[in-house]
């Protein structure tokens, strides 16, 4: 097996790639690169910006700023980092980074002038300074040390955390660390653009403040950055200085959300599609282009990024008017709400045909949102701006009802870009609808494409599986059939009548036959209860008529209750009572849809035409399809179920019409689209079988029984690399697959459930051992918990694998465990959990934490045996317990003991005696308590707190005790003391 690089190896590789992109890198030689830059520019480790470097650059980039007034400017800028809320601060600082900061300068005649000072030069990138360093340590309330940071003119824009699979960590763990850093030292991220989380195999990036699910891959690159090494390609394409400045200046939105503002940066397909549009407009060689991006990839934001760039970049278009056109009032409302919540400034909505006519004639440079229907009576040739760019959403529907011709007449001299996830190619005649011919120049199918396969590979959408139910058994009620039908076909048997119905009756008629609806509703209710509901997912029933929708609604409500099922359509007074009973108005439908998207009822929606396009509800997993749809309509329907959610492995379509019986006929698309749009659910079962075999192989040679000995041996095997990582990731994927497939009779018949039960037992024991979780079974999902409840004696596992915590009594209890690998895992986890929050409270804790990391790495790398690891870790644990005892023995509080320990153990040559160290520690802590206001929430990170601590140290060390050399100490005495005081009093 090839060696997997360590975390440090990943760090060195990444720095070398950055070096090749034009960054000034420090740290490739094995040292802490940040130290080099710290020394060069005199940074104190509580600062996040290289202020002296920034001062040099500000003077160089701005004539009004000089050596005489730059300190005043920098002092003002420092205050812009003092924020209570990270996202508010990030939004405000982004404004400074992209538009400059106002500054009052004094003229020679004594008057003052207000100017804008640029922090970054976007027009002349070569005039900026680009630095990449490793191990950038920042101490505020706590100390963090990300692996790599990127600085432009001394300002931190990108923070990277790297993990090594060799140490059983992956990019998910890196994201967790980055989120902790944002909470612990938010000041570092106030200027930040995005973060990067990577391991030895994968890389993800996410905007500052983004949750883990919005960390995504960057899986494409221009030719000059293309590389067979996917991670190197991602770094080269995403982190080259040109792209960093482009993203910072032109591709950042802030969105107002109920839970707090969010920063939005583009996905790679959005970024490259926008740049294709900008290039086409800049060159002017073609006036059309098709953006074919699969549903769920964020086409709306692609259009908004394009609009913002077109309006803000004179080099592309001098003074353009930009139109975003949708084809339904619902989509118009959604886009309007999106625009209202974004930081995009120059936009308006066409409220009527007359208003649209007025906007076209005025031709003001702004974004105009309108529906295509408003063009129906707009006068032709009234275009008031000769630079008009049109972007049509859902372009496959744009050509209907001749509205496209109306738009062409109203805006004859415009660029027109179509956006769709489901283009139409229905024929080659002029009158046939053909999205490619309508929007693409001759010889070009599309300007930019992002396929279903790419979406699945990137994790933006889920694979969808189908199950055929069109040949279900149902009884014909002869007495209920039409008399004329009976008279005409009275000679046919029941089976022959059924066959006639299947061959000659329309799908709509078939879907309205009561015995069939009864049987289908029974199957839907059973399938939903068994397969979908246990994990909290929801379903949608799609019918060919309002009548059949009403029939399904009645029967499903009888089985599941009135609150559980809602039917969505409109009706009139002329409709029969069967249909009228489910009539809803717009407000009622909005309320139902909102409740459906949440975890409340309804659980099932029954629809005819509604919600088959543009409806995003990640909680929707299963569609019960009793309607014969094809091509782009079918692709739209499939996409309703493919939105990702935590624990959701796939979308699912249960097909009552046989639509998927011949996928080649149902989807007139290329082979790749057909292959990935929807797969037979038997494929999902096959994936589950293969995954069970993969995970079981980890335990070859171990008896697959429930004995204590077998469980001990299995847990021991997955205690170290690489089996530990393989089991963690393998069981996570396996659980998702099992939850998606179960129940299925084949699981029992073919022994899959038996194997899964055994692996679940091992997983519970493993989690108790490695994470100290007292009840890991509670975190498993519903169907897996059912297996645990039915087949496992959890109390027995708890007895065999007690939760280990730090303390003398546990050191004795651990001796009762037979397996040294299990012992080592438990002690390592407990010691790390105890030390992690204390690392900045006392220098001994920091050293002990580093010892634990070293021991675990050597143990997992097979450099030391299980028994040796146990003894080494026990020694560390005993040392941890002795720290508290030593403080008590000296009758010191935690802060005093931390400072005393630092003086006696970290800088022993700087003091005369232990007694002097004790006196200094007591004096510092005493003055800290008297002089630092700790009565408000933000005291720990406030600049006044930091300044007052420095004044206390000057008073105690310089004025009172002639120990000024401590302040000049290169080991960072001031930063460490500040850390001890804040941590122990926080």
């Amino acid at each position: 097996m090839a060696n997997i690089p360590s975390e440090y190896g990943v760090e060195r590789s990444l720095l070398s790639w950055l070096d090749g992109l034009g960054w000034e890198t420090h740290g490739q030689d094995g040292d802490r690169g940040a130290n080099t830059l710290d020394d060069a520019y005199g940074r104190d480790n509580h600062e996040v910006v290289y202020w002296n470097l920034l001062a040099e650059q500000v003077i160089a980039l701005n004539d009004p700023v000089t050596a005489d007034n730059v300190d005043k400017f920098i002092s003002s800028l420092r205050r812009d980092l003092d924020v209570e809320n990270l996202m508010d601060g990030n939004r405000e600082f982004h404004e400074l980074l992209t538009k400059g900061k106002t500054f009052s300068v004094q003229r020679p005649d004594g008057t003052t002038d207000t100017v804008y000072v640029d922090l970054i030069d976007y027009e002349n990138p070569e005039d900026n300074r680009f630095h990449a360093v490793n191990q950038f340590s920042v101490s505020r309330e706590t100390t963090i040390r990300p692996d790599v940071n990127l600085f432009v003119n001394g300002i931190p824009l990108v923070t990277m955390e790297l993990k090594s699979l060799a140490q059983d960590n992956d990019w998910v763990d890196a994201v967790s660390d980055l989120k902790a850093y944002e909470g612990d030292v938010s000041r570092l991220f106030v200027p930040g653009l995005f973060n990067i989380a990577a391991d030895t195999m994968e890389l993800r990036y996410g905007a500052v403040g983004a949750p883990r699910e919005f960390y995504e891959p960057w899986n494409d690159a221009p030719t000059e950055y293309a590389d067979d090494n996917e991670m190197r390609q991602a770094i080269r394409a995403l982190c080259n200085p040109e792209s960093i400045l482009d993203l910072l200046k032109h591709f950042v939105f802030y969105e107002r959300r109920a839970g707090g503002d969010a920063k939005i940066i583009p996905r790679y397909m959005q970024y490259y599609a926008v740049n294709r549009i900008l290039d086409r407009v800049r060159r002017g060689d073609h006036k059309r282009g098709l953006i074919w991006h699969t549903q769920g990839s964020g086409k709306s934001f692609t259009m908004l990024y394009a609009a913002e760039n077109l309006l803000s970049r004179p080099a592309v278009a001098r003074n353009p008017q930009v139109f975003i056109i949708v084809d339904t009032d619902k989509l118009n409302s959604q886009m309007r709400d999106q625009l209202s919540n974004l930081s995009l400034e120059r936009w308006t909505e066409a409220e009527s045909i007359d208003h649209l006519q007025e906007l076209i004639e005025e031709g003001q440079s702004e974004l105009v949102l309108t529906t295509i229907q408003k063009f129906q009576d707009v006068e032709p040739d009234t275009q008031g701006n000769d630079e008009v760019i049109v972007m049509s959403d859902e372009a496959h529907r744009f050509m209907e009802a001749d509205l496209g011709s109306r738009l062409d007449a109203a805006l004859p001299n415009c660029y027109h870009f179509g956006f769709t996830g489901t283009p139409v190619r229905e024929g080659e005649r002029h009158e046939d609808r053909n999205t490619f011919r309508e929007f693409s120049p001759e010889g070009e199918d599309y300007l930019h494409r992002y396929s279903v396969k790419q979406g699945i590979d990137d994790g933006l959408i889920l694979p969808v599986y189908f199950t055929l139910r069109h040949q279900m058994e149902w009884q014909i009620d002869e007495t209920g059939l039409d008399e004329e039908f009976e008279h005409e076909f009275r000679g046919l048997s029941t089976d022959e009548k059924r066959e006639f119905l299947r061959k000659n009756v329309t799908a709509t008629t078939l879907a309205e036959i009561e015995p069939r609806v009864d049987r289908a509703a029974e199957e839907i209710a059973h399938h939903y209860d068994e397969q979908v509901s246990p994990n909290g997912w929801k379903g949608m029933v799609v019918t060919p008529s309002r009548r059949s929708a009403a029939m399904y609604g009645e029967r499903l409500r009888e089985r599941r209750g009135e609150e559980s099922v809602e039917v969505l359509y409109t009706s009139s007074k002329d409709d029969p009572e069967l249909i009228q009973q489910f009539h809803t108005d717009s407000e009622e439908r909005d309320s139902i849809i909102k409740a459906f998207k949440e975890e409340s009822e309804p659980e099932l929606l029954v629809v005819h035409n509604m919600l088959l396009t543009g409806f995003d509800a990640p909680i929707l997993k299963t569609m019960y399809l009793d309607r014969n749809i094809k091509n782009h309509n079918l692709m739209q329907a499939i996409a309703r179920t493919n939105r990702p959610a935590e624990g959701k492995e796939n979308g699912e379509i249960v097909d009552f019409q046989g639509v998927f019986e011949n996928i080649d006929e149902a989807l007139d698309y290329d082979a790749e689209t057909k292959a990935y749009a929807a797969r037979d659910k038997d494929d999902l079962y096959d994936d589950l079988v293969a995954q069970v075999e993969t995970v079981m192989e980890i335990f070859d040679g171990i008896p697959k029984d429930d004995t204590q000995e077998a469980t001990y041996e299995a847990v021991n095997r997955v205690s170290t690399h690489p089996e530990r990582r393989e089991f963690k990731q393998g069981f996570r994927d396996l659980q998702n697959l099992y939850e998606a497939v179960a129940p299925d009779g084949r699981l029992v018949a073919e022994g899959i459930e038996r194997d899964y039960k055994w692996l679940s037992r091992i997983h519970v024991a493993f989690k108790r051992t490695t994470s100290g979780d007292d009840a890991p079974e509670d975190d498993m999902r519903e169907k897996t918990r059912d297996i645990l409840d039915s087949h496992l004696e959890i109390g027995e596992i708890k007895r065999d694998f007690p939760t280990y915590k730090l303390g003398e009594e546990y050191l004795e209890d651990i001796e009762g465990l037979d397996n040294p690998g299990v012992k080592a895992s438990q002690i390592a986890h407990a010691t790390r959990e105890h030390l992690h929050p204390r690392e900045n409270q006392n220098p001994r804790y920091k050293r002990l934490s580093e010892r634990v990391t070293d021991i675990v790495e050597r143990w997992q790398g097979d450099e030391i045996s299980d028994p040796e690891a146990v003894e080494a870790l026990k020694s560390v644990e005993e040392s941890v317990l002795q720290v508290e005892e030593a403080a008590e023995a000296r009758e010191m509080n935690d802060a005093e003991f931390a400072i005393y320990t630092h003086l006696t153990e970290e800088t022993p040559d700087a003091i005369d005696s232990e007694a002097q160290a004790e006196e200094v520690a007591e004096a510092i802590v005493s003055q800290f308590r008297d002089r630092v206001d700790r009565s408000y929430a933000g005291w720990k990170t406030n600049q006044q707190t930091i300044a007052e601590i420095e004044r206390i140290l000057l008073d105690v060390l310089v004025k009172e005790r002639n120990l000024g050399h401590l302040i000049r100490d290169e080991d960072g005495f001031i930063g460490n003391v500040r850390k001890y005081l804040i941590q122990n009093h926080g």
Side-chain angles (χ1 to χ4, degrees), residues 669-719:
Y669 287 98
D670 57 277
E672 182 187 281
T673 301
K674 290 177 182 178
Y676 284 91
R679 299 168 56 195
D680 193 313
K681 196 175 181 182
D682 280 345
D683 293 346
L684 190 62
Y685 179 82
D686 293 342
D687 291 344
L688 171 62
V689 172
Q691 187 65 14
V692 168
E693 292 175 355
T694 297
V695 181
M696 289 293 281
E697 284 175 2
I698 299 172
F699 304 99
D700 279 351
I702 297 175
K704 305 305 186 291
D705 56 43
D706 293 341
T707 62
Q708 181 192 48
E709 292 80 8
T711 307
Y712 264 122
E713 189 174 352
V715 172
N716 182 55
R717 180 165 296 180
V718 293
S719 292

Side-chain angles (χ1 to χ4, degrees), residues 170 172 649 691 727-737 763 781:
D170 58 18
V172 177
E649 176 71 16
Q691 187 65 14
F727 184 59
K728 281 171 60 179
Q729 297 176 343
F731 188 85
R732 183 172 61 205
D733 296 340
L734 177 58
Q735 184 178 196
N736 287 343
L737 285 164
H763 190 260
R781 289 198 288 282

Side-chain angles (χ1 to χ4, degrees), residues 264-312:
I264 312 293
I265 58 175
R267 294 164 173 163
Y268 69 86
M269 84 293 300
Q270 295 170 327
Y271 181 68
Y272 292 129
V274 169
N275 280 318
R276 292 276 180 90
I277 292 171
L278 299 180
D279 287 343
R280 179 147 293 181
V281 173
R282 185 187 293 112
R283 293 197 312 268
D285 50 356
H286 294 295
K287 291 270 189 173
R288 302 260 160 156
L290 179 64
I291 309 299
W292 179 7
H293 285 189
T294 189
Q295 301 100 316
S297 60
K299 291 189 295 297
S300 294
F301 269 105
T302 307
M303 288 190 288
L304 293 174
Y305 279 123
E308 175 74 357
N309 276 270
L310 288 164
L311 291 167
S312 64

Side-chain angles (χ1 to χ4, degrees), residues 15 24 166 187 215 271 367 398 503 571 628 730 859 968:
L15 285 170
E24 298 178 48
R187 190 181 183 87
Y215 274 73
Y271 181 68
L367 169 61
F398 165 81
K503 287 185 176 180
S571 68
N628 194 6
W859 170 47
R968 296 189 297 272

